[in-house]
Amino acid sequence: MLQTLGVGGAFSRRYGTTCGLLTLSSGDRWLIDCGRQAPDQLHDAGISWHDLAGQIVTHVHGDHVFGLEDFAFGRFYETRGEVGSIVSGGPQPHFVAHSAVREEVWSTLYASLRYHKLGDNPTAGTLNTYFHVCAPVAVEPPADNQWNHSESFEAGGTHLIARESEHVPGKPSCSLEISIDPASDRITWWSGDCTVDADYLASIEARTSIFFHDCTFVEYPGQVHGAFSLLRDLPESIRRKMVLMHHEDNIETHRAEAEALGFRVAMPGDIWDLVTGQRR
Ligand SMILES: [Zn+2]
Ligand SMILES: [Zn+2]
Protein backbone atom coordinates (compact mmCIF):
# COMPACT_ATOMS: atom_id res chain seq x y z
CA MET A 1 0.00 0.00 0.00
CA LEU A 2 1.24 3.47 -0.79
CA GLN A 3 -0.27 6.79 0.19
CA THR A 4 0.64 9.82 -1.86
CA LEU A 5 0.96 12.43 0.88
CA GLY A 6 2.01 15.18 -1.48
CA VAL A 7 1.82 15.14 -5.28
CA GLY A 8 2.94 18.57 -6.44
CA GLY A 9 5.90 19.60 -8.53
CA ALA A 10 8.80 21.70 -7.31
CA PHE A 11 6.83 24.95 -7.56
CA SER A 12 3.44 23.63 -6.45
CA ARG A 13 1.68 25.56 -3.72
CA ARG A 14 -1.55 23.59 -3.88
CA TYR A 15 -0.54 19.93 -3.79
CA GLY A 16 2.58 19.86 -1.62
CA THR A 17 5.99 18.46 -2.44
CA THR A 18 5.78 14.91 -3.79
CA CYS A 19 6.10 12.35 -1.01
CA GLY A 20 5.02 8.69 -0.74
CA LEU A 21 4.18 6.80 2.43
CA LEU A 22 4.92 3.15 1.71
CA THR A 23 3.45 0.47 3.97
CA LEU A 24 5.29 -2.82 3.53
CA SER A 25 3.77 -6.27 4.00
CA SER A 26 5.53 -6.35 7.39
CA GLY A 27 3.49 -3.31 8.39
CA ASP A 28 6.59 -1.14 8.49
CA ARG A 29 6.11 2.34 7.09
CA TRP A 30 8.76 4.00 4.95
CA LEU A 31 8.82 7.43 3.41
CA ILE A 32 9.76 7.95 -0.23
CA ASP A 33 11.47 11.33 -0.38
CA CYS A 34 11.06 13.99 2.25
CA GLY A 35 10.63 17.37 0.66
CA ARG A 36 10.25 20.73 2.30
CA GLN A 37 6.55 20.14 3.05
CA ALA A 38 6.88 16.53 4.22
CA PRO A 39 6.99 17.34 7.97
CA ASP A 40 3.62 19.10 7.71
CA GLN A 41 2.16 16.48 5.35
CA LEU A 42 2.96 13.76 7.87
CA HIS A 43 1.57 15.80 10.73
CA ASP A 44 -1.66 16.38 8.83
CA ALA A 45 -1.90 12.61 8.20
CA GLY A 46 -1.54 11.96 11.94
CA ILE A 47 1.86 10.36 11.57
CA SER A 48 5.00 11.24 13.48
CA TRP A 49 8.62 10.59 12.59
CA HIS A 50 8.53 7.89 15.26
CA ASP A 51 5.97 5.91 13.26
CA LEU A 52 8.42 5.49 10.39
CA ALA A 53 10.81 2.56 9.99
CA GLY A 54 12.79 4.14 7.21
CA GLN A 55 13.44 6.73 4.57
CA ILE A 56 14.15 6.30 0.86
CA VAL A 57 15.63 9.18 -1.13
CA THR A 58 15.59 9.41 -4.93
CA HIS A 59 17.72 12.54 -5.37
CA VAL A 60 18.73 15.82 -3.81
CA HIS A 61 16.42 18.69 -4.66
CA GLY A 62 14.64 20.73 -2.02
CA ASP A 63 11.24 19.32 -2.93
CA HIS A 64 12.63 15.84 -2.16
CA VAL A 65 15.00 16.29 0.81
CA PHE A 66 14.45 19.57 2.65
CA GLY A 67 12.36 17.81 5.32
CA LEU A 68 15.17 15.43 6.26
CA GLU A 69 16.76 17.63 8.91
CA ASP A 70 13.42 17.66 10.75
CA PHE A 71 13.28 13.84 10.56
CA ALA A 72 16.87 13.41 11.77
CA PHE A 73 16.66 15.81 14.71
CA GLY A 74 13.12 14.72 15.58
CA ARG A 75 14.21 11.14 16.09
CA PHE A 76 17.56 12.09 17.60
CA TYR A 77 16.25 14.25 20.43
CA GLU A 78 12.60 13.32 20.94
CA THR A 79 10.99 10.29 22.55
CA ARG A 80 7.42 9.47 21.53
CA GLY A 81 5.44 6.64 23.02
CA GLU A 82 7.45 3.44 22.91
CA VAL A 83 10.05 4.87 20.56
CA GLY A 84 12.93 6.40 22.46
CA SER A 85 15.12 9.19 21.18
CA ILE A 86 18.34 8.09 19.56
CA VAL A 87 20.33 9.95 22.24
CA SER A 88 18.64 7.79 24.87
CA GLY A 89 19.38 4.57 22.95
CA GLY A 90 16.24 4.43 20.84
CA PRO A 91 16.24 2.90 17.38
CA GLN A 92 17.47 4.71 14.29
CA PRO A 93 15.22 4.84 11.25
CA HIS A 94 16.67 3.08 8.21
CA PHE A 95 17.97 5.11 5.31
CA VAL A 96 18.12 3.86 1.73
CA ALA A 97 19.59 5.79 -1.17
CA HIS A 98 21.96 5.09 -4.02
CA SER A 99 25.47 5.87 -2.74
CA ALA A 100 25.92 8.77 -5.18
CA VAL A 101 22.65 10.29 -3.92
CA ARG A 102 23.54 9.56 -0.32
CA GLU A 103 26.76 11.59 -0.65
CA GLU A 104 24.76 14.55 -1.92
CA VAL A 105 22.26 14.14 0.93
CA TRP A 106 25.10 14.49 3.37
CA SER A 107 26.55 17.49 1.51
CA THR A 108 23.16 19.12 1.98
CA LEU A 109 22.66 18.27 5.65
CA TYR A 110 26.25 18.50 6.82
CA ALA A 111 26.12 22.11 8.03
CA SER A 112 23.41 21.28 10.57
CA LEU A 113 23.66 17.57 11.33
CA ARG A 114 27.39 17.40 12.04
CA TYR A 115 26.88 19.35 15.26
CA HIS A 116 25.70 17.56 18.36
CA LYS A 117 26.62 17.63 22.00
CA LEU A 118 27.64 14.03 22.51
CA GLY A 119 31.18 12.82 23.14
CA ASP A 120 34.40 14.78 22.87
CA ASN A 121 34.00 15.98 19.32
CA PRO A 122 30.99 18.28 18.88
CA THR A 123 31.25 18.24 15.09
CA ALA A 124 31.52 14.49 14.59
CA GLY A 125 27.97 13.91 13.38
CA THR A 126 27.48 11.90 10.20
CA LEU A 127 24.43 10.45 8.49
CA ASN A 128 25.08 7.33 10.56
CA THR A 129 24.54 9.35 13.74
CA TYR A 130 20.88 9.75 12.83
CA PHE A 131 20.03 6.90 10.50
CA HIS A 132 20.82 3.24 10.08
CA VAL A 133 22.28 3.67 6.60
CA CYS A 134 21.60 0.55 4.55
CA ALA A 135 24.38 -0.79 2.33
CA PRO A 136 23.41 -2.19 -1.07
CA VAL A 137 23.18 -5.96 -1.34
CA ALA A 138 24.03 -5.84 -5.05
CA VAL A 139 25.17 -3.24 -7.57
CA GLU A 140 25.31 -2.86 -11.33
CA PRO A 141 28.52 -1.15 -12.53
CA PRO A 142 28.54 2.36 -14.00
CA ALA A 143 26.90 2.83 -17.38
CA ASP A 144 26.04 6.42 -18.33
CA ASN A 145 27.77 8.13 -15.38
CA GLN A 146 30.63 7.34 -13.04
CA TRP A 147 28.37 6.01 -10.30
CA ASN A 148 26.79 2.56 -10.19
CA HIS A 149 23.98 2.09 -12.71
CA SER A 150 21.86 0.57 -9.98
CA GLU A 151 22.07 -0.44 -6.36
CA SER A 152 19.75 -3.00 -4.73
CA PHE A 153 18.64 -2.93 -1.12
CA GLU A 154 16.70 -5.04 1.33
CA ALA A 155 14.37 -2.66 3.12
CA GLY A 156 12.14 -4.01 5.87
CA GLY A 157 11.93 -7.38 4.15
CA THR A 158 11.27 -5.83 0.74
CA HIS A 159 13.65 -5.76 -2.19
CA LEU A 160 14.20 -2.36 -3.72
CA ILE A 161 16.35 -1.21 -6.63
CA ALA A 162 17.52 2.40 -6.99
CA ARG A 163 18.41 2.79 -10.67
CA GLU A 164 20.01 5.87 -12.20
CA SER A 165 17.62 7.85 -14.34
CA GLU A 166 17.95 10.97 -16.44
CA HIS A 167 16.85 14.04 -14.52
CA VAL A 168 19.32 16.93 -14.66
CA PRO A 169 22.35 15.85 -16.72
CA GLY A 170 25.29 14.81 -14.56
CA LYS A 171 23.26 14.75 -11.35
CA PRO A 172 22.80 11.53 -9.38
CA SER A 173 19.09 10.73 -9.46
CA CYS A 174 17.25 7.43 -9.25
CA SER A 175 13.97 5.81 -10.00
CA LEU A 176 12.79 3.04 -7.68
CA GLU A 177 11.69 -0.51 -8.40
CA ILE A 178 9.87 -1.66 -5.29
CA SER A 179 9.17 -5.35 -4.94
CA ILE A 180 5.57 -5.96 -3.89
CA ASP A 181 5.65 -9.72 -3.50
CA PRO A 182 8.74 -11.64 -2.40
CA ALA A 183 7.46 -14.71 -4.23
CA SER A 184 7.44 -13.01 -7.64
CA ASP A 185 9.29 -10.35 -9.62
CA ARG A 186 6.35 -7.92 -9.56
CA ILE A 187 7.17 -4.33 -8.74
CA THR A 188 5.79 -0.87 -8.30
CA TRP A 189 7.82 1.77 -10.09
CA TRP A 190 8.42 5.29 -8.73
CA SER A 191 10.09 7.78 -11.02
CA GLY A 192 11.57 10.23 -8.60
CA ASP A 193 12.15 13.01 -11.10
CA CYS A 194 13.15 11.92 -14.58
CA THR A 195 12.56 12.32 -18.26
CA VAL A 196 10.51 9.75 -20.14
CA ASP A 197 12.42 6.57 -21.01
CA ALA A 198 9.82 4.76 -23.11
CA ASP A 199 12.02 1.75 -23.89
CA TYR A 200 12.82 1.16 -20.26
CA LEU A 201 9.21 1.53 -19.14
CA ALA A 202 8.18 -0.98 -21.82
CA SER A 203 10.83 -3.42 -20.64
CA ILE A 204 9.34 -3.59 -17.13
CA GLU A 205 5.67 -3.10 -17.99
CA ALA A 206 4.63 -6.74 -17.71
CA ARG A 207 5.76 -7.03 -14.11
CA THR A 208 4.81 -3.52 -12.93
CA SER A 209 1.57 -2.89 -11.04
CA ILE A 210 1.73 0.91 -11.04
CA PHE A 211 4.08 3.42 -12.62
CA PHE A 212 4.17 6.59 -10.55
CA HIS A 213 5.67 9.12 -12.98
CA ASP A 214 6.46 12.77 -12.43
CA CYS A 215 4.66 14.81 -15.03
CA THR A 216 4.83 18.30 -16.42
CA PHE A 217 2.69 20.08 -18.96
CA VAL A 218 5.23 22.87 -19.30
CA GLU A 219 7.44 22.55 -22.37
CA TYR A 220 10.91 24.08 -22.20
CA PRO A 221 14.33 23.43 -23.72
CA GLY A 222 16.34 20.93 -21.69
CA GLN A 223 13.31 19.21 -20.16
CA VAL A 224 14.20 17.41 -16.90
CA HIS A 225 10.78 15.93 -16.05
CA GLY A 226 8.23 13.59 -17.53
CA ALA A 227 6.83 15.72 -20.32
CA PHE A 228 3.16 14.94 -20.90
CA SER A 229 3.77 15.33 -24.63
CA LEU A 230 5.98 12.21 -24.40
CA LEU A 231 3.98 10.33 -21.78
CA ARG A 232 0.90 10.53 -23.99
CA ASP A 233 2.76 8.63 -26.72
CA LEU A 234 3.42 5.63 -24.47
CA PRO A 235 1.52 2.43 -25.28
CA GLU A 236 -1.96 2.32 -23.80
CA SER A 237 -1.01 -0.68 -21.63
CA ILE A 238 1.54 1.51 -19.85
CA ARG A 239 -0.70 4.57 -19.67
CA ARG A 240 -3.41 2.54 -17.95
CA LYS A 241 -0.93 1.56 -15.24
CA MET A 242 0.46 5.07 -14.84
CA VAL A 243 -0.30 7.54 -12.09
CA LEU A 244 0.76 11.12 -12.81
CA MET A 245 2.34 12.89 -9.86
CA HIS A 246 4.69 15.82 -9.19
CA HIS A 247 2.32 17.85 -11.32
CA GLU A 248 1.63 21.55 -11.55
CA ASP A 249 -1.10 23.44 -9.73
CA ASN A 250 -3.19 23.74 -12.89
CA ILE A 251 -3.52 19.96 -13.28
CA GLU A 252 -7.32 20.19 -13.34
CA THR A 253 -7.14 21.95 -16.70
CA HIS A 254 -5.42 18.82 -18.06
CA ARG A 255 -7.23 16.11 -16.11
CA ALA A 256 -9.86 15.25 -18.73
CA GLU A 257 -7.27 14.89 -21.45
CA ALA A 258 -5.02 12.73 -19.24
CA GLU A 259 -7.84 10.49 -18.04
CA ALA A 260 -9.16 10.02 -21.56
CA LEU A 261 -5.75 8.55 -22.40
CA GLY A 262 -5.96 6.12 -19.47
CA PHE A 263 -3.76 7.97 -16.97
CA ARG A 264 -4.79 8.51 -13.39
CA VAL A 265 -3.93 11.72 -11.57
CA ALA A 266 -2.59 11.47 -8.02
CA MET A 267 -4.05 13.70 -5.34
CA PRO A 268 -2.78 14.26 -1.78
CA GLY A 269 -4.03 11.53 0.54
CA ASP A 270 -4.81 9.00 -2.18
CA ILE A 271 -4.12 5.40 -1.15
CA TRP A 272 -2.90 2.96 -3.80
CA ASP A 273 -3.07 -0.82 -3.61
CA LEU A 274 0.27 -1.90 -5.05
CA VAL A 275 -0.90 -5.46 -5.71
CA THR A 276 -4.05 -4.67 -7.70
CA GLY A 277 -2.73 -1.36 -9.00
CA GLN A 278 -5.99 0.34 -8.03
CA ARG A 279 -6.77 3.45 -6.02
CA ARG A 280 -8.65 2.59 -2.84
ZN1 LIG B 1 11.04 17.25 -7.79
ZN1 LIG C 1 14.37 16.96 -8.97
Side-chain angles (χ1 to χ4, degrees), residues 63-64 193 246:
D63 58 319
H64 298 261
D193 286 352
H246 200 283

mmCIF file of all heavy atoms in Angstrom, residues 63-64 193 246, ligand 1:
data_model
loop_
_atom_site.group_PDB
_atom_site.id
_atom_site.type_symbol
_atom_site.label_atom_id
_atom_site.label_comp_id
_atom_site.label_asym_id
_atom_site.label_seq_id
_atom_site.Cartn_x
_atom_site.Cartn_y
_atom_site.Cartn_z
ATOM 1 N N ASP A 63 12.584 19.900 -3.017
ATOM 2 C CA ASP A 63 11.238 19.324 -2.932
ATOM 3 C C ASP A 63 11.286 17.819 -2.663
ATOM 4 O O ASP A 63 10.235 17.174 -2.562
ATOM 5 C CB ASP A 63 10.425 19.643 -4.200
ATOM 6 C CG ASP A 63 11.066 19.147 -5.476
ATOM 7 O OD1 ASP A 63 12.302 19.266 -5.612
ATOM 8 O OD2 ASP A 63 10.348 18.635 -6.353
ATOM 9 N N HIS A 64 12.499 17.269 -2.477
ATOM 10 C CA HIS A 64 12.635 15.836 -2.162
ATOM 11 C C HIS A 64 13.396 15.574 -0.869
ATOM 12 O O HIS A 64 13.304 14.469 -0.320
ATOM 13 C CB HIS A 64 13.308 15.094 -3.328
ATOM 14 C CG HIS A 64 12.498 15.161 -4.583
ATOM 15 N ND1 HIS A 64 11.675 14.130 -4.987
ATOM 16 C CD2 HIS A 64 12.318 16.166 -5.478
ATOM 17 C CE1 HIS A 64 11.053 14.496 -6.095
ATOM 18 N NE2 HIS A 64 11.415 15.731 -6.409
ATOM 19 N N ASP A 193 12.314 12.047 -10.009
ATOM 20 C CA ASP A 193 12.146 13.013 -11.096
ATOM 21 C C ASP A 193 12.973 12.513 -12.274
ATOM 22 O O ASP A 193 14.176 12.306 -12.130
ATOM 23 C CB ASP A 193 12.688 14.392 -10.697
ATOM 24 C CG ASP A 193 11.793 15.113 -9.708
ATOM 25 O OD1 ASP A 193 10.673 14.629 -9.444
ATOM 26 O OD2 ASP A 193 12.232 16.166 -9.202
ATOM 27 N N HIS A 246 3.702 14.747 -9.054
ATOM 28 C CA HIS A 246 4.692 15.819 -9.188
ATOM 29 C C HIS A 246 4.218 16.784 -10.288
ATOM 30 O O HIS A 246 4.984 17.258 -11.116
ATOM 31 C CB HIS A 246 6.057 15.192 -9.548
ATOM 32 C CG HIS A 246 7.256 16.072 -9.272
ATOM 33 N ND1 HIS A 246 7.607 17.107 -10.083
ATOM 34 C CD2 HIS A 246 8.189 16.050 -8.301
ATOM 35 C CE1 HIS A 246 8.723 17.684 -9.630
ATOM 36 N NE2 HIS A 246 9.091 17.064 -8.535
HETATM 37 ZN ZN ZN B 1 11.037 17.251 -7.785
#
